[in-house]
């Protein structure tokens, strides 16, 4: 069981470029969550997805950020026209698809640095 | 916003000491309280608490929830240098399945 797989682990982008972060959930998990962790801060919820559906995107910035979880393939968090303030660790987590399963399993994170 | 407040923010202890980490939360739509350990990688799950007064234990770590006073504690006895990490507390809601709200964490450093 490979756990939650995220890539890339480290990504460097210049201001104005696009960043794409990928997440493959644990085997058997159908729920994916994205969290952002700024330096010296806690994990902040961004978005919750199931296959082909965004369930809750209340933590996503209104502009430049989008997420998807297609029928086939990994979930992708996309940040367009990155700015320095987007520099952070982005964690993906997955959970089984039954109600009440609050335990999330996290990936190792993708660390985005914007120059 | 469903607030989760952890204290202390950071802590330095000597190996062998016992530490208690605190977490308080707001009651709205509360389902569960979780503790995670974060080193320089993925947060790893420690405990999930849903019932008041029932201690959960794993080796030198234990945790308990008080739903009346809205807090939880994480105890680590006989600390070791490998316990050095950020300990994250999170609450789960009854609404969106598995959506967690995290505190900012307690950074624990265990020295020799």
């Amino acid at each position: 069981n490979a756990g939650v797989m995220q890539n890339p682990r480290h990504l460097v982008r210049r201001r104005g470029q696009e960043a794409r972060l990928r997440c493959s959930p644990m085997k058997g998990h159908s729920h994916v969550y994205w969290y952002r962790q700024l330096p010296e801060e806690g994990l902040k919820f961004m978005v919750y997805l199931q296959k082909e559906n965004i369930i809750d995107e209340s933590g996503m910035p209104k502009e430049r950020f989008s997420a998807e979880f297609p029928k086939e393939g990994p979930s992708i968090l996309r940040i367009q026209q990155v700015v320095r303030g987007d520099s952070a660790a982005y964690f993906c987590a997955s959970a089984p698809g039954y109600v009440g399963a609050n335990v999330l399993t996290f990936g190792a994170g993708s660390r985005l640095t914007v120059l | 916003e469903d607030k989760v407040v952890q204290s202390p923010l950071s802590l330095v202890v000597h190996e062998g000491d016992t530490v208690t980490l605190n977490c308080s939360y707001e009651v709205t739509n509360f389902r569960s309280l979780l503790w995670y350990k974060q080193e320089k990688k993925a947060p790893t799950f420690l405990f999930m608490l849903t019932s008041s007064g029932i201690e959960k234990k794993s080796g030198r770590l234990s945790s308990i929830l008080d739903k009346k006073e809205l807090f939880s504690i994480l105890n680590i006895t006989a600390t070791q240098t490998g316990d050095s990490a950020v300990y994250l507390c999170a609450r789960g809601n009854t609404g969106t399945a598995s959506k967690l709200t995290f505190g900012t964490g307690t950074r624990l450093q265990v020295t020799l």
Side-chain angles (χ1 to χ4, degrees):
Chain A
N1 190 342
V4 177
M5 303 302 293
Q6 289 189 248
N7 69 82
R9 291 292 309 279
H10 300 276
L11 183 64
V12 179
R13 286 287 179 264
R14 296 192 181 279
R15 279 180 297 169
Q17 292 184 320
E18 179 179 287
R20 281 189 182 227
L21 310 177
R22 293 173 191 78
C23 170
S24 295
M26 272 187 75
K27 189 175 180 181
H29 285 189
S30 58
H31 294 201
V32 165
Y33 300 76
W34 286 93
Y35 282 79
R36 176 164 66 175
Q37 188 173 39
L38 294 167
E40 305 305 320
E41 291 190 17
L43 291 159
K44 300 288 187 193
F45 169 79
M46 297 182 75
V47 62
Y48 160 42
L49 310 105
Q50 296 177 22
K51 284 283 187 183
E52 301 184 281
N53 281 308
I54 296 174
I55 307 301
D56 183 342
E57 57 181 347
S58 57
M60 287 277 270
K62 293 287 185 280
E63 297 174 348
R64 304 186 297 106
F65 283 72
S66 61
E68 62 176 8
F69 189 15
K71 189 176 178 183
E72 302 290 337
S75 175
I76 294 175
L77 179 67
R78 182 182 178 208
I79 312 170
Q80 295 177 287
Q81 299 173 319
V82 296
V83 300
R84 288 218 174 101
D86 297 332
S87 296
Y90 292 83
F91 286 92
C92 172
S94 70
Y98 53 87
V99 175
N102 273 151
V103 179
L104 300 185
T105 301
F106 281 85
S110 292
R111 276 160 180 77
L112 172 65
T113 301
V114 180
L115 301 177
Chain B
E1 189 175 313
D2 306 318
K3 240 181 159 181
V4 176
V5 179
Q6 292 187 245
S7 64
L9 291 181
S10 64
L11 193 54
V12 180
V13 300
H14 293 295
E15 208 174 36
D17 287 350
T18 293
V19 297
T20 299
L21 309 182
N22 304 293
C23 175
S24 63
Y25 62 92
E26 293 184 348
V27 71
T28 312
N29 298 324
F30 174 82
R31 181 198 296 276
S32 59
L33 194 293
L34 291 87
W35 286 95
Y36 283 81
K37 177 182 180 182
Q38 186 179 23
E39 298 166 273
K40 290 187 185 299
K41 47 187 178 179
T44 53
F45 171 74
L46 295 175
F47 298 110
M48 182 169 78
L49 305 147
T50 55
S51 299
S52 217
I54 298 174
E55 184 184 53
K56 291 219 172 175
K57 202 167 168 60
S58 175
R60 295 176 295 101
L61 277 67
S62 63
S63 185
I64 197 161
L65 177 68
D66 185 327
K67 291 171 81 171
K68 184 179 175 187
E69 300 297 330
L70 308 180
F71 77 90
S72 173
I73 59 172
L74 175 68
N75 275 322
I76 309 174
T77 58
T79 51
Q80 302 171 357
T81 54
D83 295 328
S84 297
V86 176
Y87 290 85
L88 299 169
C89 172
R91 53 159 282 165
N93 294 348
T94 54
T96 305
S98 300
K99 176 179 172 181
L100 297 179
T101 302
F102 283 84
T104 52
T106 293
R107 183 176 297 277
L108 173 66
Q109 185 180 349
V110 182
T111 62
L112 291 170

